[in-house]
Amino acid sequence: MSTPTRRFKRLIVGGVVTTGALVATLFTGTAGAVAAPDVQPGPEPTVHTQEAYAPEDDFTSKWTRADARQLARLSDPNAAPRENSMPASLTMPEVPKDFPDMSNGEVWVWDTWPLTDEDGNQYSVNGQEIIFSLVADRSLGFDDRHVFAKIGYFFRPAGIPAEERPENGGWTYGGLVFDEGVTGQIFEDQSYSHQTQWSGSARIMKGGEIKLFFTDVAFYRDAAGNDVKPYDPRIALSTGKVHANQNGVKLTGFDKVTDLLQADGTYYQTGAQNPFFNFRDPFTFEDPAHPGETYMVFEGNSAMPRESAQCSEEDLGYREGDPYAETVEEVNASDATLNIGNIGLAKAKNDDLTEWEFLPPILSANCVTDQTERPQFVFKDGKSYLFTISHRSTFAEGLDGPEGVYAFVGDGIRSDFQPLNSGSGLALGNPTNLNFGGGQPFAPDFNQHPGHFQAYSHYVMPGGLVQSFIDTIGTSDDFVRGGTLAPTVKIDLDGDSSAVDYSYGNGGLGGWADIPANIAVNPGGKVQ
């Protein structure tokens, strides 16, 4: 999901799990000793200790410019046009252009998330797997979908191997979660021109109740499409039930929305500070180090006014005496200060998860990237792995990197996080050639790899499986738009390294739209 109407100036630089098990158990594969790829000349990455702090502490780890510049160091400067310049171990296999449509022509589909518990296990209910997706009517242009997005759901029979399913994954579109008008009720100003729903997460609770956390959004635009006032995104909650049998799935409830959090302007940037601010994508979980406590991560921006934002020496993160270091003055004199993404943290104040309090951000990306979308945690081997996704176009001036998944590791949910893979943070990028510009999904650059925009909005699943949606596949003279889920892929984690598992599926590509549950419950909420 990209915040609409945003504009940037930038410089292009050349297995089954038992109930109650922690997400730590979900990664069953190991990468083994992942060899560090050859790197080009450039700055050394920032030294990060991975040291853990209390969740309530006032410490924010920094994804620094020195870290992000490792992305260019990993890129092959001799890669020819339409070739991938990034390491194969960190690159999603190329997705074919002749992809099947999971909705059978009913809706555009993009950001998608499964039904999970507090530990990240994915659930089927009475023999049906269930996922939630952002959807839009196909009468809309693909790039117009964002301001008209609604949350829909799909279901399919559980336990069928991917190779035995229909090619499109075997999903049935169940319809929209909310009736018209339900999600607009929380906005005090009812003069909105568009009211939409953006990404979140879905938690199954005891007794089979479903808590759907999502981003509730109101736009205020005139007939020409100009903003009358900044758009209003809020983190919200709605509760309902899933009714499933062999004939399908029906949702009930979801007729009331609770306003949980609005950006505060202290930790998280507001519309008054920046009309293009990001505040969305709630993901809730239980911290293994604090049993019984529920936390939420979400995408935000550092709380500075857009026009006067400044980045610090710590945001740059260069080692003393590094000959490739930039100065604070030159970075702050550039448009890099327009890109100040962060990952926020909040803590539930009651068992119903209807009251929350902000905590300081756990990660900032000041002068690095403006979007740290759909953050989530995975816990493995006593480590906390923080995943987020980012666009190539949202990297700050002087930086460059593929569209895809970025990952960080620490000893707790608030840590001095170390970016994976030679300090770059890249865990799964689209095939990309950093020697050439990317263009836009609706107009790819002539020299760019056909997979440059192939997939986005990744979600990391049990066992290291990763799902995403198809955006654009092909070159400038021959491309197709997506709007359905991509093949599942797999990554393996090993300490501060990761690698794509090319032995998974067919050359690394698994089933289309394959989001398998690893735990089953019956209609009464009993785990089977």
Side-chain angles (χ1 to χ4, degrees):
M1 174 67 69
S2 297
T3 303
T5 71
R6 194 172 197 100
R7 296 293 184 267
F8 300 95
K9 289 175 60 180
R10 36 190 316 277
L11 173 68
I12 297 296
V13 178
V16 173
V17 181
T18 57
T19 182
L22 293 174
V23 186
T25 66
L26 298 180
F27 268 99
T28 57
T30 57
V34 179
D38 293 334
V39 296
Q40 306 305 315
E44 294 301 307
T46 303
V47 175
H48 296 277
T49 66
Q50 300 187 31
E51 178 184 357
Y53 297 79
E56 293 77 15
D57 281 358
D58 188 16
F59 173 83
T60 299
S61 186
K62 295 183 181 296
W63 185 12
T64 69
R65 286 183 67 87
D67 295 331
R69 286 180 67 187
Q70 305 311 304
L71 294 162
R73 297 188 70 195
L74 292 175
S75 179
D76 178 3
N78 299 313
R82 302 192 177 186
E83 289 184 355
N84 176 40
S85 73
M86 303 304 293
S89 63
L90 307 179
T91 300
M92 182 177 179
E94 190 170 348
V95 178
K97 284 200 306 182
D98 56 342
F99 51 82
D101 171 28
M102 67 182 292
S103 81
N104 295 312
E106 290 194 62
V107 289
W108 299 122
V109 180
W110 62 110
D111 299 15
T112 296
W113 57 97
L115 182 61
T116 66
D117 65 12
E118 68 277 7
D119 298 321
N121 294 301
Q122 295 177 192
Y123 281 69
S124 64
V125 178
N126 200 25
Q128 297 281 358
E129 293 174 340
I130 302 160
I131 57 175
F132 299 85
S133 301
L134 296 189
V135 300
D137 192 279
R138 284 194 172 234
S139 64
L140 293 167
F142 188 52
D143 295 304
D144 297 326
R145 69 193 188 279
H146 296 293
V147 296
F148 298 97
K150 303 295 182 184
I151 298 175
Y153 71 100
F154 292 80
F155 58 90
R156 70 179 186 181
I160 300 175
E163 60 271 17
E164 297 179 16
R165 294 189 182 276
E167 187 185 19
N168 70 355
W171 295 99
T172 297
Y173 178 53
L176 300 178
V177 173
F178 297 105
D179 289 338
E180 188 66 31
V182 170
T183 60
Q185 296 173 3
I186 68 171
F187 299 99
E188 295 80 14
D189 185 350
Q190 290 284 300
S191 69
Y192 49 76
S193 56
H194 302 76
Q195 200 282 302
T196 191
Q197 303 141 23
W198 285 351
S199 296
S201 54
R203 283 271 298 274
I204 188 166
M205 313 300 288
K206 292 181 179 178
E209 181 182 71
I210 308 299
K211 290 186 179 293
L212 180 62
F213 298 88
F214 69 103
T215 314
D216 207 350
V217 188
F219 288 93
Y220 299 87
R221 293 179 172 173
D222 61 22
N226 300 309
D227 290 333
V228 175
K229 71 174 190 176
Y231 82 121
D232 186 358
R234 305 181 181 192
I235 291 175
L237 166 67
S238 188
T239 301
K241 289 257 189 178
V242 170
H243 308 269
N245 58 36
Q246 63 181 357
N247 297 317
V249 170
K250 180 182 178 181
L251 304 181
T252 59
F254 300 110
D255 52 5
K256 178 183 177 182
V257 174
T258 301
D259 188 350
L260 300 182
L261 293 168
Q262 301 177 38
D264 62 348
T266 300
Y267 294 131
Y268 307 106
Q269 194 178 57
T270 65
Q273 294 171 320
N274 175 12
F276 310 112
F277 75 118
N278 299 299
F279 184 72
R280 56 178 179 247
D281 302 349
F283 172 88
T284 68
F285 63 97
E286 185 173 294
D287 178 12
H290 300 86
E293 299 285 357
T294 295
Y295 295 89
M296 173 197 296
V297 286
F298 55 90
E299 177 189 6
N301 286 114
S302 298
M304 295 183 274
R306 175 179 170 85
E307 300 305 325
S308 60
Q310 296 280 285
C311 294
S312 68
E313 194 79 46
E314 291 74 23
D315 293 322
L316 275 58
Y318 294 108
R319 302 185 193 186
E320 185 175 357
D322 193 319
Y324 295 95
E326 304 161 294
T327 67
V328 172
E329 291 75 19
E330 64 184 336
V331 172
N332 282 334
S334 73
D335 281 344
T337 58
L338 298 178
N339 306 78
I340 49 174
N342 70 17
I343 294 176
L345 186 69
K347 182 180 179 180
K349 299 169 64 176
N350 63 356
D351 291 340
D352 286 339
L353 309 185
T354 57
E355 298 178 10
W356 294 76
E357 61 180 343
F358 281 128
L359 298 175
I362 56 173
L363 184 77
S364 66
N366 297 334
C367 290
V368 172
T369 185
D370 202 58
Q371 292 188 346
T372 48
E373 298 186 278
R374 300 195 69 192
Q376 64 176 119
F377 269 110
V378 167
F379 303 99
K380 178 181 183 289
D381 298 335
K383 294 288 189 177
S384 299
Y385 288 89
L386 176 62
F387 292 90
T388 188
I389 55 176
S390 202
H391 289 287
R392 188 179 184 190
S393 64
T394 61
F395 275 103
E397 183 172 322
L399 302 177
D400 202 2
E403 308 235 332
V405 184
Y406 291 84
F408 309 82
V409 62
D411 293 330
I413 66 170
R414 183 178 299 281
S415 295
D416 183 10
F417 288 108
Q418 180 177 347
L420 265 57
N421 299 317
S422 303
S424 70
L426 182 63
L428 181 68
N430 284 340
T432 302
N433 194 324
L434 294 190
N435 302 320
F436 303 95
Q440 299 292 334
F442 53 84
D445 184 272
F446 178 83
N447 293 300
Q448 195 47 247
H449 189 285
H452 181 267
F453 293 112
Q454 68 178 14
Y456 194 66
S457 197
H458 307 72
Y459 180 93
V460 183
M461 300 184 289
L465 301 180
V466 184
Q467 61 94 353
S468 56
F469 84 93
I470 297 172
D471 193 344
T472 299
I473 301 176
T475 59
S476 62
D477 49 339
D478 182 19
F479 67 91
V480 295
R481 304 306 302 276
T484 187
L485 295 191
T488 299
V489 298
K490 184 174 183 291
I491 58 174
D492 297 327
L493 290 176
D494 183 21
D496 62 4
S497 298
S498 69
V500 175
D501 185 351
Y502 280 89
S503 70
Y504 173 76
N506 182 10
L509 294 179
W512 299 92
D514 192 25
I515 307 176
N518 64 304
I519 287 184
V521 296
N522 66 21
K526 182 178 179 181
V527 175
Q528 298 171 320

